């Protein structure tokens, strides 16, 4: 992609953030709530069509479930915002970010399936009781994962800034001896066996299992209320397999929006870096962006834990 196209991504990202902050979030929430209500009514109709044995009823159920996932994810919510913030914080390529977004959405569907199977089959919980678990009991664990991920990014960003400010002649690898004793190794970019700053190749991947686990867990531990509704109704009518398929169709709809958010974040991030003159400034900016984005993620998680949602 050309430099001009990348910079356009940064401009677009700033404009989208401004519209969102100026009231776009409220309008989107109103629209998505109306769309979700309409989709839920359509789901009930599709379930009735399946019970009546109408041809094409299963395909209709899956299509409506997918549309419900799209509508549910399009409004304000921490899932896509977390995916987008992480994509901005870490210089991860789009393909791994898309994979993470898909994994998080499917894990969210899996949590809904496990919740209903365990709650309805083992403990005979009602739809209202399962809804309270999905909406009240589980989310704090996801919020804690959001805060933990944010703090982890802050710590790593600050550590990167310290390395960058130390200059090319300083190491942060823990051995404490004087480099003036002439032991004959070159302090070029890689001659002593390690780099003084992360290269674009090193940071262009998800940074380990901690990031992936916290990111997926933060999204998954707030199962979609529509998926819980669909699963409970299908369970009651003896159509559990259809409910499970519908829950994962919703997950794919949610994943579509999350992947879009990741793509926009990657485009905006690379556009911002493309506007910086020189690779050295990009390397300095990387940990700064990570620390700032991590601080925003941590603050969001702590706000949600305090009852802000």
């Amino acid at each position: 992609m050309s430099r001009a196209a990348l910079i356009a991504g940064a401009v677009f990202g700033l404009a989208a953030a401004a519209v969102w902050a100026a009231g776009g979030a409220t309008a989107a929430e109103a629209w998505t709530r109306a769309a979700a209500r309409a989709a839920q009514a359509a789901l009930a109709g599709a379930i009735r069509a399946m019970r009546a044995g109408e041809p094409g009823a299963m395909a209709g159920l899956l299509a409506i479930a997918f549309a419900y996932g799209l509508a549910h994810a399009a409004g304000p919510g921490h899932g896509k915002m977390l995916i987008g913030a992480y994509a901005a914080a870490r210089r991860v390529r789009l393909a791994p970010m898309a994979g993470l977004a898909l994994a998080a959405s499917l894990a969210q569907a899996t949590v809904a399936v496990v919740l209903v199977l365990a709650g309805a089959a083992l403990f005979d919980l009602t739809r209202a009781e399962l809804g309270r678990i999905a909406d009240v009991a589980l989310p704090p664990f996801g919020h804690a994962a959001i805060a933990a991920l944010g703090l982890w990014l802050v710590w790593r960003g600050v550590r990167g800034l310290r390395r960058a400010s130390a200059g090319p002649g300083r190491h942060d690898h823990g051995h404490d001896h004087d480099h003036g004793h002439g032991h004959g190794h070159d302090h070029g970019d890689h001659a002593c066996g390690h780099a003084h700053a992360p290269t674009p190749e090193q940071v262009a991947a998800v940074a380990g299992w901690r990031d992936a686990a916290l990111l997926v867990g933060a999204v998954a531990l707030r199962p979609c209320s529509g998926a819980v509704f669909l699963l409970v109704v299908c369970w009651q009518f003896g159509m559990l397999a259809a409910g499970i398929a519908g829950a994962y169709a919703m997950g794919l709809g949610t994943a579509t929006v999350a992947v879009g958010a990741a793509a926009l974040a990657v485009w905006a991030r690379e556009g911002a870096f493309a506007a910086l003159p020189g690779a050295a400034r990009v390397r300095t900016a990387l940990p700064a962006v990570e620390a700032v984005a991590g601080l925003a993620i941590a603050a969001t998680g702590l706000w949600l834990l305090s009852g802000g949602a």
Side-chain angles (χ1 to χ4, degrees), residues 77-135:
H78 76 264
K80 66 180 178 304
M81 303 300 289
L82 183 60
I83 295 289
Y86 183 85
R90 294 291 295 167
R91 204 173 190 188
V92 181
R93 290 187 299 269
L94 179 56
M97 275 309 311
L100 261 184
L102 177 61
S105 297
L106 294 181
Q108 189 178 43
T110 300
V111 169
V113 171
V114 171
L115 172 64
V116 172
L117 286 179
L122 299 181
F123 302 105
D124 198 27
L125 299 180
T126 66
R127 185 192 309 174
E129 290 169 331
L130 289 169
R132 280 194 294 272
I133 293 174
D135 295 336

Side-chain angles (χ1 to χ4, degrees), residues 5-233:
L6 289 174
I7 294 175
V11 174
F12 180 83
L14 289 173
V19 170
W20 192 262
T26 303
E29 184 174 12
W31 178 84
T32 53
R33 282 183 177 176
R37 284 195 297 269
Q40 199 166 55
L43 279 175
I47 292 171
R48 287 194 296 270
M50 285 196 64
R51 292 188 70 198
E54 295 181 13
M58 184 64 189
L61 176 69
L62 295 179
I64 294 169
F66 180 82
Y68 183 98
L70 283 174
H72 179 77
H78 76 264
K80 66 180 178 304
M81 303 300 289
L82 183 60
I83 295 289
Y86 183 85
R90 294 291 295 167
R91 204 173 190 188
V92 181
R93 290 187 299 269
L94 179 56
M97 275 309 311
L100 261 184
L102 177 61
S105 297
L106 294 181
Q108 189 178 43
T110 300
V111 169
V113 171
V114 171
L115 172 64
V116 172
L117 286 179
L122 299 181
F123 302 105
D124 198 27
L125 299 180
T126 66
R127 185 192 309 174
E129 290 169 331
L130 289 169
R132 280 194 294 272
I133 293 174
D135 295 336
V136 179
L138 287 180
F141 295 100
H143 301 160
I146 293 174
L149 176 62
L151 293 174
W152 171 247
L153 291 174
V154 169
W155 179 80
R156 199 160 50 195
V158 170
R159 188 178 61 173
L161 285 171
R162 289 179 58 191
R163 282 200 301 264
S165 65
R170 294 279 301 276
H171 308 329
D172 191 17
H173 52 27
H175 65 279
D176 220 3
H177 60 274
D178 185 5
H179 278 241
H181 51 57
H183 53 9
H185 65 276
D186 186 2
H187 282 253
D189 285 341
H190 301 284
C192 59
H194 53 270
H196 298 292
T199 66
E201 291 75 18
Q202 288 170 330
V203 297
V206 177
W209 63 268
R210 292 182 186 86
D211 291 37
L214 288 171
L215 192 61
V216 171
V219 175
L221 287 174
R222 189 166 188 172
C224 175
S225 56
V228 174
F229 164 80
L230 176 63
L231 285 160
V232 171
V233 172

